[in-house]
């Protein structure tokens, strides 16, 4: 049989049928082997079970003018079978196509259709709107996906066709491998990848981040390269402007002077790739209880639970799962605590560094400070009191050792005024010191 296909350009549905077998090639008569006969029987069975309706989408399939199916080279007569693929004029839908700008898989309805459903890679199924198109929220740009359209007719029969999007360019192994991204330390975003196995030696990669909903893009601001100078990591230092509930697309494109390089991508919510930072915990305590409080920071999460681990002295640690942002520990004495955040459906966050609290020592320290302050106050009062006593008009020394007045010679010309005291009889008072009376016996 010969094999040929229909028009390559319209990409419509195809019908597979098996014509009458062609004559055997003229070969010298040889004894048949049972293995060859068994292989031929299997091939004929496959031909009989070949579905009636099918669709060829890829360029590789359309470029093949024929396909030879024959037994292995066993020396037995070889039968060359060829399949003929022709357009099915009775297909209920035709011209299946992807309108990427509107993210719509659409077609032309030509039959009596009851229901149409679409699926992507056999895993995601949606019902067509008005049996005219299927809407997809996200279309992959770097990895080709198979989109299948299943049609249920009014008479209950089922027709199925499929197409592929997007068109692939470049060597498959040239794209960046193992693209991984994570949000960490609240405001930081880091993406890393590996060089493709079949990437050209001069390949260079470029990453950008895109909001799937608004299509806003942010190119990578800072790259990290390997020893050959090929970029393998990207870092965003502040992603506070990305705090959006929409999905984001990470795309790594490749460029080379020698060959085309495929891109690689990842679509995800930033909240799903966040590595939660540990909460900031503080505590105040005494001999009776300790009050621990903490604060959690995240750009994309708001609903947290917390796992608090406490260890008293040499006892084994135990944990408390809480939704509050505080916890009261009774009779704490000396203990160590650490905490981490929990979000439903994600891995737990990082543990905080263990913190040790000495509640007894804190109480003793307070008592020690109070004693020091008290002693200081008493000493100050005593010092002030002594100073006041010493500063009074007549000192204690003056009372105990009063000065002896010097005699004045009113007749002498050279009076030693510096050694004499002037007596003022009018000066008297409570503070006056007692004096002794002096009697003059005669003049020399």
């Amino acid at each position: 049989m010969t094999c040929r296909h229909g028009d390559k350009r319209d990409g419509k549905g195809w019908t597979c049928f098996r014509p009458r077998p062609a004559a055997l090639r003229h070969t010298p008569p040889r004894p048949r082997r049972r293995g060859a006969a068994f292989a031929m029987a299997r091939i004929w069975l496959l031909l009989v079970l070949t579905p009636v309706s099918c669709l060829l989408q890829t360029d590789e399939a359309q470029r093949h003018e024929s396909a030879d199916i024959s037994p292995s080279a066993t020396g037995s007569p070889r039968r060359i079978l060829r399949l003929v693929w022709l357009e099915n004029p009775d297909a209920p839908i035709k011209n299946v196509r992807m309108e990427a700008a509107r993210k719509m898989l659409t077609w032309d309805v030509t039959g009596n259709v009851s229901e149409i459903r679409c699926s992507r890679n056999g895993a995601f199924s949606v019902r067509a709107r008005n049996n005219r198109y299927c809407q997809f929220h996200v279309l992959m740009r770097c990895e080709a996906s198979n989109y299948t359209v299943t049609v249920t007719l009014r008479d209950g029969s089922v027709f199925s066709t499929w197409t592929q999007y997007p068109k692939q360019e470049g060597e498959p192994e040239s794209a960046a491998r193992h693209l991984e991204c994570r949000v960490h330390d609240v405001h930081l975003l880091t993406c890393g990848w590996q060089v493709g196995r079949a990437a050209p030696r001069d390949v260079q990669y470029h990453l950008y981040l895109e909001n799937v909903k608004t299509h806003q893009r942010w190119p990578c601001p800072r790259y990290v390269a390997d020893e050959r100078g090929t970029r393998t990591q990207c870092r965003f230092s502040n992603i506070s402007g990305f705090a959006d509930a929409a999905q984001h697309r990470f795309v790594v494109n490749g460029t080379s002077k020698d060959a085309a390089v495929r891109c690689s991508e990842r679509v995800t919510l930033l909240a799903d790739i966040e590595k939660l930072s540990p909460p900031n915990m503080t505590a105040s305590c005494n001999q009776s209880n300790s009050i621990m409080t903490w604060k959690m920071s995240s750009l994309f999460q708001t609903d947290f639970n917390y796992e608090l681990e406490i260890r008293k002295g040499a006892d084994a640690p135990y944990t408390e799962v809480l939704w509050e942002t505080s916890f009261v520990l009774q009779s704490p004495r000396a203990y160590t605590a650490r905490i981490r955040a929990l979000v439903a459906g994600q891995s737990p966050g990082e543990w905080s560094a263990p913190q040790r609290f000495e509640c007894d020592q804190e109480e003793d320290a307070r008592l020690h400070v109070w004693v020091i302050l008290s002693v200081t106050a008493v000493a100050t009062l005593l010092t002030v009191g002594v100073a006041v006593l010493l500063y009074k008009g007549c000192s204690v020394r003056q009372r105990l050792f009063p000065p002896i007045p010097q005699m004045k010679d009113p007749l002498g010309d050279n009076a030693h005024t510096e050694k004499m005291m002037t007596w003022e009889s009018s000066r008297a008072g409570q503070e006056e010191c007692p004096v002794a009376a002096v009697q003059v016996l005669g003049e020399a």
Side-chain angles (χ1 to χ4, degrees):
M1 294 184 294
T2 59
C3 183
R4 55 192 176 91
H5 57 80
D7 189 356
K8 304 179 188 177
R9 294 171 294 179
D10 60 4
K12 298 180 181 179
W14 300 75
T15 301
C16 173
F17 68 91
R18 179 172 55 86
R20 295 180 60 184
L24 293 175
R25 292 183 178 180
H26 295 285
T27 57
R30 295 180 181 177
R32 295 181 179 270
R33 298 185 179 180
R34 297 183 61 183
F38 180 72
M40 288 300 304
R42 293 181 61 183
I43 292 173
W44 280 107
L45 181 61
L46 290 174
L47 291 175
V48 172
L49 297 178
T50 300
V52 175
S53 298
C54 40
L55 179 65
L56 295 179
Q57 283 78 14
T58 62
D59 294 341
E60 290 79 8
Q62 293 180 359
R63 283 195 295 266
H64 287 80
E65 295 293 336
S66 63
D68 291 345
I69 304 177
S70 62
S72 57
T74 59
S76 60
R78 170 181 285 182
R79 182 185 299 273
I80 300 177
L81 306 178
R82 299 178 182 271
L83 301 179
V84 179
W85 300 84
L86 297 177
E87 182 181 2
N88 182 5
D90 299 327
I93 62 172
K94 297 181 179 181
N95 194 21
V96 178
R97 59 198 180 274
M98 177 66 74
E99 296 184 6
R102 297 192 294 172
K103 302 176 184 178
M104 290 171 43
L105 181 65
T106 186
W107 51 82
D108 300 328
V109 179
T110 58
N112 194 7
V113 174
S114 173
E115 182 186 53
I116 299 179
R117 299 189 68 88
C118 305
S119 63
R120 179 168 57 196
N121 294 332
F124 181 72
S125 178
V126 295
R127 185 171 182 175
R129 299 182 182 182
N130 300 323
N131 287 336
R132 294 291 179 178
Y133 66 92
C134 286
Q135 186 75 55
F136 293 90
H137 298 290
V138 179
L139 297 180
M140 304 304 290
R141 295 178 181 173
C142 301
E143 182 179 352
S145 300
N146 293 327
Y147 293 86
T148 303
V149 182
T150 303
V151 182
T152 302
L153 303 177
R154 297 289 182 182
D155 59 3
S157 58
V158 177
F159 173 85
S160 181
T161 185
W162 59 276
T163 188
Q164 193 177 72
Y165 178 87
K167 183 180 179 181
Q168 298 289 280
E169 295 181 356
E171 178 66 30
E173 295 294 327
S174 62
R177 299 181 296 134
H178 307 306
L179 174 61
E180 296 290 340
C181 298
R182 65 185 180 96
V183 176
H184 58 97
D185 298 321
V186 184
H187 297 92
L188 303 182
L189 170 64
T190 302
C191 294
W193 59 89
Q194 296 179 8
V195 178
R197 292 189 180 92
R201 292 191 59 84
D202 66 336
V203 66
Q204 191 58 275
Y205 294 109
H206 316 269
L207 179 140
Y208 68 85
L209 175 63
E210 180 186 40
N211 187 309
V212 174
K213 182 179 179 180
T214 63
H215 301 291
Q216 184 179 1
R217 292 186 179 185
W218 298 272
C220 176
R222 180 184 176 188
Y223 288 102
V224 177
D226 61 11
E227 62 278 0
R228 295 194 308 173
T230 305
R231 297 167 178 169
T232 56
Q233 192 178 94
C234 170
R235 295 177 181 175
F236 290 84
S237 59
N238 187 359
I239 58 171
S240 57
F242 306 160
D244 196 318
Q247 288 183 313
H248 286 75
R249 186 196 310 269
F250 298 88
V251 179
V252 179
N253 290 315
T255 56
S256 171
K257 296 180 181 179
D258 300 331
V261 180
R262 287 193 182 183
C263 63
S264 58
E265 66 183 322
R266 179 178 180 181
V267 178
T268 183
L269 294 171
L270 295 182
D272 292 342
I273 61 173
E274 182 180 15
K275 185 65 174 178
L276 298 174
S277 299
N280 184 20
M281 182 173 62
T282 58
S284 61
C285 63
N286 52 37
Q287 289 182 341
S288 301
N289 55 60
S290 175
I291 302 176
M292 289 173 279
T293 59
W294 52 85
K295 183 178 180 181
M296 184 62 192
S297 299
S298 174
L299 294 175
F300 311 104
Q301 303 285 357
T302 56
D303 190 11
F304 298 102
N305 287 331
Y306 303 96
E307 185 177 3
L308 178 64
E309 183 184 270
I310 302 172
R311 181 171 186 170
K312 290 185 177 182
D315 297 341
Y318 65 94
T319 59
E320 299 278 354
V321 177
L322 312 163
W323 61 269
E324 304 96 338
T325 57
S326 63
F327 181 76
V328 178
L329 180 64
Q330 303 296 331
S331 302
R333 302 183 67 181
Y335 71 96
T336 303
R338 63 176 185 166
I339 191 171
R340 65 179 177 180
L342 305 175
V343 174
Q346 295 189 22
S347 300
E350 296 180 350
W351 283 104
S352 65
Q355 299 185 55
R356 183 173 178 81
F357 301 98
E358 300 284 350
C359 297
D360 291 342
Q361 290 186 3
E362 186 175 353
E363 187 69 19
D364 294 341
R366 291 179 180 177
L367 179 61
H368 183 64
V369 170
W370 183 85
V371 170
I372 292 176
L373 292 177
S374 300
V375 172
T376 303
V378 172
T380 303
L381 292 175
L382 290 175
T383 303
V384 172
V386 172
V388 170
L389 291 176
L390 293 176
Y391 189 73
K392 276 193 169 182
C394 183
S395 66
V396 175
R397 183 171 177 270
Q398 286 179 328
R399 292 180 182 273
L400 294 177
F401 306 102
I404 300 174
Q406 301 292 325
M407 184 175 59
K408 180 178 180 181
D409 183 7
L411 299 179
D413 295 332
N414 298 325
H416 299 284
T417 56
E418 69 279 0
K419 296 183 179 180
M420 296 183 180
M421 294 181 61
T422 304
W423 177 260
E424 297 179 3
S425 60
S426 62
R427 181 179 179 183
Q430 217 173 16
E431 299 296 330
E432 186 176 347
C433 296
V435 297
V438 179
Q439 183 178 5
V440 179
L441 297 180
E443 296 182 359

